[in-house]
């Protein structure tokens, strides 16, 4: 997020929570901790907080569960890669030659 987006976000907070501090220092503090978050994600988290929160959101609440979301996306990608690899292996798999199972059973019986 850039500074203008941080400012837009804080204005939206101020509109919903009139006592919220929109000082230059608070803008700087939010910029420090929210610069790596997309404006869309921050706005969604803010809107959810406004629907359910009695007090102005703190930075962690604006960030939401970004770490969980990123971990979930990473896990989904890993699962998709695993399933794709299984499908590729299944496509390359072949059946054993005819009589192989019977021959194996016969050899196992004679070992005893």
């Amino acid at each position: 997020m850039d500074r203008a987006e941080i400012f837009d976000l804080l204005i939206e907070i101020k509109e919903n929570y009139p006592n919220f501090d929109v000082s230059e220092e608070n803008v700087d503090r939010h910029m420090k901790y929210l610069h790596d978050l997309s404006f869309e994600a921050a706005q969604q988290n803010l809107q959810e907080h406004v629907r359910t929160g009695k007090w102005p959101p703190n930075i962690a609440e604006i960030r939401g569960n970004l770490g969980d979301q990123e971990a979930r996306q990473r896990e989904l990608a890993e699962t998709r890669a695993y399933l794709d690899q299984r499908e590729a292996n299944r496509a390359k798999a072949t059946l054993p030659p005819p009589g192989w199972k019977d021959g194996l059973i016969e050899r196992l019986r004679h070992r005893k």
Side-chain angles (χ1 to χ4, degrees), residues 1 3 10 18 27 31 33 48 61 77 80 85 91 100 102 104-105 107-108:
M1 245 188 305
R3 191 169 188 79
L10 297 185
V27 172
M31 184 68 197
Y33 294 109
E48 182 61 30
E61 291 165 333
R80 174 56 37 213
Q85 183 61 48
W100 176 83
D102 296 332
L104 181 61
I105 291 172
R107 283 185 293 186
L108 290 171

Side-chain angles (χ1 to χ4, degrees), residues 45-100:
N45 293 336
L46 173 59
Q47 289 168 359
E48 182 61 30
H49 182 84
V50 168
R51 282 192 283 278
T52 60
K54 185 175 180 179
W55 309 104
N58 60 34
I59 290 173
E61 291 165 333
I62 294 171
R63 289 190 70 83
N65 56 354
L66 180 64
D68 292 342
Q69 293 168 0
E70 290 172 345
R72 182 173 185 274
Q73 291 302 319
R74 195 171 41 255
E75 290 167 357
L76 286 173
E78 290 170 1
T79 300
R80 174 56 37 213
Y82 171 75
L83 292 174
D84 290 345
Q85 183 61 48
R86 282 191 56 158
E87 190 59 36
N89 290 344
R90 183 178 291 125
K92 292 188 290 186
T94 59
L95 293 173
W100 176 83

Side-chain angles (χ1 to χ4, degrees), residues 14-68:
K14 180 76 171 172
E15 288 171 352
N16 290 286
Y17 303 95
N19 294 329
F20 185 74
D21 174 21
V22 290
S23 67
E24 194 65 31
E25 295 81 22
N26 206 23
V27 172
D28 292 340
R29 189 169 61 82
H30 280 76
M31 184 68 197
K32 178 179 177 181
Y33 294 109
L34 297 175
H35 71 277
D36 62 333
L37 184 66
S38 76
F39 178 70
E40 293 76 22
Q43 202 168 33
Q44 281 181 336
N45 293 336
L46 173 59
Q47 289 168 359
E48 182 61 30
H49 182 84
V50 168
R51 282 192 283 278
T52 60
K54 185 175 180 179
W55 309 104
N58 60 34
I59 290 173
E61 291 165 333
I62 294 171
R63 289 190 70 83
N65 56 354
L66 180 64
D68 292 342

